Amino acid sequence: MARHLRIREPRHHWLLVGLLLATLVGVLLVQGYVQRSWNDLSDAPRTTAGGDRAPRQALRNDRPVLDLSGDRPNTAAMPARTVALTFDDGPDPRWTPRILDVLRRHHAKATFFVLGSKVAAEPALARRIVAEGHEIGSHTYTHVDLARTPSWQRGLELGLTQKALAGVLGLHTHLLRPPYSATPSGLTGSDYAAARDAGRAGYLVVIADHDTRDWDDLSEKQIVARAMPSGQRGAVVLMHDSGGDRSRTVAAVDQLLTRLNERGYRATTVSDALHLRNTAVPVSLPERIAGGTVVAAQQVGRIAAVGLTYALAVAGVLTVARVVILAAIARLHVGRTRRGRRRGGPDREPGWYYPPVSVVVPAYNEEAGIAATVGSLVRTTYPGPVEVIVVDDGSTDDTARIARDLDLPGVTVLSQANAGKPAALNAGIAYARHEILVLVDGDTVFQPDTIGRLVAPFANPAVGAVSGNTKVGNAGGILGRWQHIEYVIGFNLDRRMFDVLECMPTVPGAIGAFRRQALADAADPEAPGSTYAMAGPVSIDTLAEDTDLTMAVCRAGWRVVYEETARAWTEAPSSLRQLWRQRYRWCYGTLQSMWKHRRALVERGPSGRFGRRALPYLTVFQVVLPLLAPAVDVFALYGLFFGEPARVVAVWAAFVAVQALVGAYALRLDGERLTPLWTLPLQQFVYRQLMYLVVIQSMVTAIAGAPLRWHAIRREGTFARRDPASAT
């Protein structure tokens, strides 16, 4: 089968990824609604629906239970010597259990007007309230002011609370206390209109005739004094079991119940005091399932929000630390390189190291740029012998004819049946006569001094391979600029670090040089799991043959170095589709190579040094963080709408600023202009997403074991339209 045929890739996982992201968005929306930071309507104007004022003649402070289902309100008061203790804003994991303990000691019952969101967050506590004989009423889902919210949100608040109660307790309640209400005389026209709407929806509205104001920094004695009914009258007493420090409330309840008992009062629930029936109604199984879904969504949303907060913090620290460390090591690399040049270099001392060089150019359908590539190799200023071997890998265009028609001295064109890039490289290596082998992609243009600078490090006999500095030749459009920034900031800064740490994982196919002996040492046919094309050193095990080969050279004990002055100009993909195909192959091949060479993590010597330094770095920054990136992006949007937008924007701006500073430094090191940096902020919104989607696709392909063949990117002929030397 032809090695360049496009194989169908797995696609069904995108549905799963979409569902996972949609689920994450859904649970975060629930969590965001609970936080209510986006919908704080405390300063919104009160609605005037239903009249400007409440019917004072029908509302009395001593009759706080309101039936507003009819045209005229019906009100009720507690019977004599009967107190309904009511607690708002819970359940709270700290204070509600203490209040329940006090009630149990006094054999008293109470009514808890709960927030649906807190019921969902503390289901066991809500169950304890009911199990101990107390009553549950609704206090909305997130403690909104019903008088200041639109009708759709009122319905949502009350409906969500009922769903939370259904999911946790298996019941619905018909009791409601609107948040921010106190006594009937304190109801405004808007308050009354909202309460009337709730009454017509089937709720019995319970206000209070004794508001203890226990939230207002009162002492226990003051709270008790405000709660005690006068004479033998009954009362609905308003207190809180959440929303702050409720230690004084707990103590006051204990004192209050003692005094009520001494005066012959009974502390019970609202329904029991008024002999109300059906205020708590069992729900059906579908309603319970729907309620359980809401509860689960809130719980998962809270866990996701907390987890993503930590993940975002860790990812941010790692990312910033990475770019700072890269810049610091780049500075160290520059200093070390300059000291080395002062001791001599290929263009400074006569008689310097000029070994014969064989340049191998694998080519498949490269008719657009092969002439520019070969021409740039022949025009080299390298003083030593140079042979150029173009291996046409069964191209279906005029690649081979164009290369032969150049009729350049020292250039040999080989043709073979289509077998893939590794096989083409191995054919060229086998044909080559010299010890130093330069491997060049068919879309790459060298500067005249590139070969000399690339070969110079081989003067050190410990060096087995040299990585050159790949530059984007078609960086005119915004996509080209993004790739240009990535090459300079990401790839080349990474290579400086790998050079210093002696753990270079990749010599790029666009520009790299190898010692033949290093290739021979790396090509171990007896190694388990290795397959070598045409018995050559370049394996066909992975799609990233350059990464696989480099890792093998490192594990064989050879040094792999980076020579930033050896520059090559390559034609980058000019469309998102082409970029996707290229990066998909790169990423999938890198994953294959990392897995193939995983034993380097536990090996000793140079192999272990490479494994323990390079492989964890690649795992964290090229696999783990990109896989987390979609969730991080969703959480960043969550922060914009439900959290603190200013902080989110500030963090993003700081991150981009750090990247820009490091990018400016990297561009300066490479002698590049700083103008492409203006596209860096935009890179975060398109290019970055494309890159992490590539990683997701590659991981799924690797896990599924789906085949993916090496195929060429369609070239535009960037260098064929101008003098290749102008790329410099």
Side-chain angles (χ1 to χ4, degrees):
M1 178 183 290
R3 302 289 290 181
H4 301 315
L5 289 179
R6 185 177 180 184
I7 305 300
R8 182 177 296 276
E9 301 157 3
R11 298 185 183 276
H12 297 298
H13 64 282
W14 290 121
L15 177 61
L16 177 60
V17 171
L19 288 174
L20 290 174
L21 285 178
T23 301
L24 179 61
V25 170
V27 298
L28 287 178
L29 283 174
V30 173
Q31 177 65 14
Y33 185 81
V34 171
Q35 295 296 328
R36 292 197 309 116
S37 54
W38 67 278
N39 198 29
D40 185 0
L41 299 176
S42 59
D43 296 327
R46 288 182 177 271
T47 60
T48 58
D52 295 331
R53 56 191 177 88
R56 300 300 177 196
Q57 69 280 7
L59 300 179
R60 294 166 45 186
N61 280 350
D62 61 346
R63 302 181 70 84
V65 182
L66 313 179
D67 179 0
L68 305 178
S69 58
D71 293 334
R72 294 182 59 83
N74 293 317
T75 62
M78 290 294 102
R81 293 184 182 275
T82 302
V83 169
L85 293 181
T86 63
F87 298 92
D88 289 3
D89 298 350
D92 183 276
R94 182 177 183 183
W95 302 113
T96 303
R98 298 187 186 187
I99 289 175
L100 290 172
D101 292 341
V102 173
L103 292 171
R104 182 169 53 188
R105 286 200 305 270
H106 289 271
H107 305 288
K109 304 302 178 185
T111 301
F112 289 81
F113 288 97
V114 296
L115 297 176
S117 59
K118 291 192 175 182
V119 169
E122 303 291 341
L125 197 49
R127 294 188 187 104
R128 178 184 170 184
I129 292 173
V130 174
E132 294 186 3
H134 305 291
E135 184 173 50
I136 291 286
S138 172
H139 200 46
T140 74
Y141 199 76
T142 63
H143 203 274
V144 299
D145 188 344
L146 294 179
R148 299 187 180 188
T149 54
S151 58
W152 69 265
Q153 191 180 3
R154 295 179 199 169
L156 180 64
E157 284 282 326
L158 298 178
L160 285 175
T161 303
Q162 296 288 24
K163 288 187 182 301
L165 293 175
V168 172
L169 302 174
L171 58 83
H172 283 166
T173 181
H174 290 297
L175 299 180
L176 169 67
R177 171 168 288 156
Y180 307 104
S181 63
T183 60
S185 63
L187 294 179
T188 66
S190 299
D191 294 327
Y192 181 77
R196 188 189 59 189
D197 289 345
R200 291 175 177 174
Y203 287 94
L204 188 66
V205 179
V206 181
I207 312 297
D209 46 9
H210 283 253
D211 181 7
T212 64
R213 296 179 66 89
D214 57 345
W215 48 267
D216 197 16
D217 197 27
L218 301 180
S219 66
E220 294 93 330
K221 290 183 179 180
Q222 290 173 313
I223 295 173
V224 172
R226 294 184 65 88
M228 283 297 297
S230 60
Q232 297 184 8
R233 297 173 60 181
V236 176
V237 178
L238 170 58
M239 308 178 90
H240 297 81
D241 62 331
S242 185
D245 184 352
R246 294 289 172 253
S247 57
R248 294 177 183 177
T249 300
V250 175
V253 170
D254 194 10
Q255 296 177 25
L256 176 62
L257 288 172
T258 299
R259 292 182 60 179
L260 290 173
N261 183 59
E262 292 172 349
R263 294 178 54 180
Y265 273 78
R266 181 169 68 107
T268 188
T269 65
V270 172
S271 296
D272 180 60
L274 296 178
H275 305 290
L276 301 175
R277 297 180 180 179
N278 300 324
T279 56
V281 181
V283 300
S284 64
L285 180 60
E287 289 174 320
R288 189 154 195 166
I289 293 174
T293 302
V294 171
V295 171
Q298 180 182 318
Q299 293 176 341
V300 173
R302 181 173 60 174
I303 294 171
V306 173
L308 286 173
T309 298
Y310 285 106
L312 184 60
V314 171
V317 169
L318 286 175
T319 302
V320 173
R322 172 179 176 258
V323 295
V324 172
I325 291 172
L326 283 176
I329 293 182
R331 179 62 184 171
L332 177 63
H333 183 268
V334 168
R336 191 172 70 175
T337 302
R338 287 174 179 172
R339 288 192 298 272
R341 289 191 189 128
R342 284 197 294 267
R343 290 193 292 268
D347 55 353
R348 285 177 170 78
E349 292 187 6
W352 184 250
Y353 181 72
Y354 299 126
V357 174
S358 296
V359 182
V360 178
V361 185
Y364 174 76
N365 288 352
E366 298 284 1
E367 65 177 4
I370 191 65
T373 297
V374 175
S376 72
L377 297 173
V378 171
R379 284 190 290 271
T380 180
T381 58
Y382 184 68
V386 175
E387 67 170 352
V388 177
I389 304 162
V390 178
V391 183
D392 173 49
D393 188 43
S395 297
T396 58
D397 62 5
D398 288 334
T399 298
R401 181 189 61 78
I402 292 172
R404 289 191 178 95
D405 289 350
L406 293 174
D407 195 24
L408 295 172
V411 177
T412 301
V413 179
L414 305 179
S415 293
Q416 65 178 31
N418 177 236
K421 186 178 180 181
L425 285 169
N426 285 327
I429 292 170
Y431 186 87
R433 296 176 297 166
H434 304 312
E435 172 68 12
I436 302 301
L437 301 162
V438 175
L439 309 183
V440 184
D441 283 345
D443 62 335
T444 302
V445 170
F446 275 21
Q447 296 180 170
D449 63 349
T450 297
I451 293 179
R453 295 185 180 278
L454 191 63
V455 170
F458 287 109
N460 181 349
V463 172
V466 180
S467 168
N469 186 347
T470 310
K471 314 293 290 184
V472 175
N474 54 331
I478 190 168
L479 185 61
R481 287 187 175 93
W482 282 341
Q483 293 177 83
H484 173 57
I485 291 174
E486 183 184 26
Y487 271 64
V488 175
I489 299 178
F491 299 162
N492 290 335
L493 281 184
D494 274 349
R495 289 192 181 101
R496 292 177 189 272
M497 180 189 69
F498 290 136
D499 190 7
V500 171
L501 299 181
E502 299 183 13
C503 59
M504 186 80 66
T506 303
V507 171
I511 174 172
F514 293 84
R515 196 185 298 271
R516 188 183 291 273
Q517 185 58 51
L519 294 180
D521 293 344
D524 180 8
E526 303 301 323
S530 296
T531 307
Y532 291 87
M534 298 176 61
V538 183
S539 171
I540 62 172
D541 292 338
T542 73
L543 288 178
E545 74 293 326
D546 47 4
T547 299
D548 186 4
L549 182 60
T550 307
M551 290 183 176
V553 169
C554 288
R555 293 182 67 189
W558 290 90
R559 276 203 63 189
V560 180
V561 301
Y562 173 57
E563 178 51 61
E564 75 272 16
T565 63
R567 299 187 175 187
W569 300 82
T570 188
E571 182 178 325
S574 57
S575 69
L576 289 176
R577 177 180 176 82
Q578 293 293 323
L579 179 64
W580 171 274
R581 294 177 64 187
Q582 182 196 65
R583 298 309 173 86
Y584 181 24
R585 180 173 63 83
W586 285 6
C587 184
Y588 183 48
T590 299
L591 290 174
Q592 291 177 309
S593 301
M594 291 167 62
W595 180 253
K596 176 180 176 180
H597 296 282
R598 64 191 181 277
R599 290 184 59 84
L601 285 167
V602 297
E603 293 173 343
R604 296 182 178 180
S607 178
R609 179 176 62 234
F610 157 77
R612 285 183 288 275
R613 294 177 182 178
L615 294 183
Y617 179 88
L618 295 176
T619 300
V620 170
F621 292 106
Q622 294 193 18
V623 180
V624 176
L625 290 186
L627 288 177
L628 288 176
V632 170
D633 282 357
V634 169
F635 190 60
L637 292 174
Y638 166 83
L640 281 175
F641 289 98
F642 302 113
E644 300 180 34
R647 178 177 295 183
V648 173
V649 173
V651 170
W652 176 81
F655 174 72
V656 173
V658 170
Q659 279 194 317
L661 289 173
V662 175
Y665 180 60
L667 290 167
R668 180 184 174 189
L669 289 180
D670 273 20
E672 299 280 356
R673 293 180 298 176
L674 303 185
T675 50
L677 286 177
W678 72 266
T679 65
L680 189 60
L682 300 176
Q683 193 181 47
Q684 307 301 313
F685 298 105
V686 178
Y687 195 82
R688 177 174 169 274
Q689 283 72 21
L690 182 69
M691 292 301 103
Y692 67 57
L693 291 176
V694 164
V695 176
I696 293 173
Q697 175 80 348
S698 301
M699 283 295 295
V700 172
T701 304
I703 293 172
L708 182 66
R709 301 298 187 185
W710 180 65
H711 52 266
I713 303 297
R714 184 175 63 86
R715 305 300 178 188
E716 303 295 334
T718 297
F719 304 118
R721 295 190 294 268
R722 54 187 168 91
D723 184 354
S726 66
T728 64

